[in-house]
């Protein structure tokens, strides 16, 4: 049973470009969470999704950031018109149900904005 | 708004020493999880504590949940270089998202 798969592992973008980060949850998991981690800091919640629904996006910046989890395919975190401050590691986690149990994390996608 | 504090923020000790890190809040939790994140990887769950006063042991790691369910501690005995990592606590209060503390960044020097 494969774990949470994130790609790309590393992404370099210039200011103003778009970044798309993908997350395939573990098999059987219908709950997906995205977190952002700046260097030397903890994990900041961004968004919680179930299939075709955004449940909680209270941690998402109001502009340029969006997330989806379509019926088919991976969850996508999209950052438009990236700025240097978007440089961070973005982690996806999945669970088979809403949060009372374990979250299973991917290895992260590291975005560098030049 | 829940205020969650982990201390110390950074800790560097020699192999073989003992240490304790803390997770404190102003709110009462239904349960709490501890995760460890190694460099370059995602966090991995270590333990979930549920009952006030509960103590759980995982080899050299001892986790305690405060009687009032507002705080927790993690004690490591005879630390080893493999224990190096970021230790994160995450309280569960019935909300659907997991909110992490800032973490304690632990370095064990050989």
């Amino acid at each position: 049973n494969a774990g949470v798969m994130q790609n790309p592992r590393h992404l370099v973008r210039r200011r103003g470009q778009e970044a798309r980060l993908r997350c395939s949850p573990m098999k059987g998991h219908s709950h997906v969470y995205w977190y952002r981690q700046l260097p030397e800091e903890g994990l900041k919640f961004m968004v919680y999704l179930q299939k075709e629904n955004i449940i909680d996006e209270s941690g998402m910046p109001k502009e340029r950031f969006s997330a989806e989890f379509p019926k088919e395919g991976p969850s996508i975190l999209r950052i438009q018109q990236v700025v240097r401050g978007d440089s961070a590691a973005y982690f996806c986690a999945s669970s088979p149900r809403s949060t009372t149990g374990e979250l299973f994390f991917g290895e992260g996608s590291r975005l560098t904005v030049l | 708004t829940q205020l969650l504090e982990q201390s110390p923020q950074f800790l560097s000790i020699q192999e073989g020493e003992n240490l304790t890190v803390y997770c404190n809040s102003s709110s009462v939790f239904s349960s709490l999880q501890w995760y460890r994140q190694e460099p370059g990887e995602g966090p991995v769950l270590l333990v979930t504590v549920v009952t006030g006063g509960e103590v759980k042991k995982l080899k050299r790691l001892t986790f305690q949940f405060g009687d009032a369910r507002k705080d927790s501690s993690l004690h490591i005995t005879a630390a080893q270089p493999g224990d190096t990592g970021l230790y994160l606590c995450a309280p569960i209060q019935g909300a659907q998202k997991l909110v992490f503390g800032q973490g304690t960044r632990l370095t064990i020097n050989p």
Side-chain angles (χ1 to χ4, degrees):
Chain A
N1 189 14
V4 176
M5 303 300 291
Q6 289 189 248
N7 67 83
R9 289 292 310 278
H10 300 274
L11 182 63
V12 179
R13 285 288 179 265
R14 295 190 181 279
R15 281 179 297 170
Q17 292 183 320
E18 179 179 287
R20 282 192 181 222
L21 309 177
R22 288 175 290 276
C23 169
S24 295
M26 287 183 70
K27 187 176 180 181
H29 289 193
S30 59
H31 301 254
V32 166
Y33 307 78
W34 286 93
Y35 289 83
R36 177 163 63 178
Q37 186 174 39
L38 295 172
E40 303 297 309
E41 294 193 7
L43 293 165
K44 298 288 189 199
F45 168 79
M46 298 182 75
V47 63
Y48 162 40
L49 311 103
Q50 293 180 25
K51 284 284 188 182
E52 299 185 278
N53 286 303
I54 297 175
I55 307 302
D56 185 337
E57 56 181 347
S58 58
M60 288 276 273
K62 293 286 186 279
E63 298 177 348
R64 301 188 297 108
F65 285 71
S66 63
E68 62 177 8
F69 189 15
K71 186 177 180 181
E72 301 291 337
S75 176
I76 306 282
L77 179 66
R78 182 185 180 202
I79 311 172
Q80 295 177 287
Q81 300 177 321
V82 295
V83 301
R84 288 217 175 106
D86 297 333
S87 295
Y90 292 84
F91 287 92
C92 169
S94 73
S95 72
R97 57 187 181 278
S98 59
T99 306
T100 52
E102 180 176 359
L103 288 188
F104 294 83
F105 282 84
E107 293 186 314
S109 292
R110 281 150 186 82
L111 172 65
T112 301
V113 180
L114 302 177
Chain B
T1 301
Q2 167 194 298
L3 183 66
L4 186 66
E5 184 177 346
Q6 288 193 245
S7 61
Q9 194 172 349
F10 298 94
L11 183 60
S12 180
I13 62 171
Q14 294 300 119
E15 181 176 0
E17 294 183 359
N18 302 330
L19 65 107
T20 303
V21 299
Y22 302 91
C23 175
N24 296 293
S25 175
S26 54
S27 303
V28 176
F29 313 134
S30 57
S31 57
L32 182 142
Q33 296 181 333
W34 282 93
Y35 287 76
R36 178 170 65 205
Q37 182 183 22
E38 297 186 14
E41 299 184 7
V44 175
L45 179 69
L46 295 173
V47 76
T48 302
V49 286
V50 179
T51 307
E54 180 178 6
V55 176
K56 279 192 174 178
K57 294 198 174 193
L58 186 68
K59 297 184 180 178
R60 294 175 295 100
L61 278 60
T62 302
F63 302 85
Q64 185 161 8
F65 200 15
D67 291 338
R69 304 206 318 277
K70 295 170 70 172
D71 56 86
S72 181
S73 64
L74 159 59
H75 181 80
I76 301 179
T77 304
Q80 298 178 1
D83 296 327
T84 291
L86 178 65
Y87 288 80
L88 297 158
C89 70
I92 297 170
Q93 290 180 283
Q96 291 180 306
K97 61 177 182 269
L98 206 59
V99 177
F100 289 89
Q102 190 78 341
T104 292
R105 200 163 293 273
L106 176 64
T107 303
I108 309 300
N109 303 300

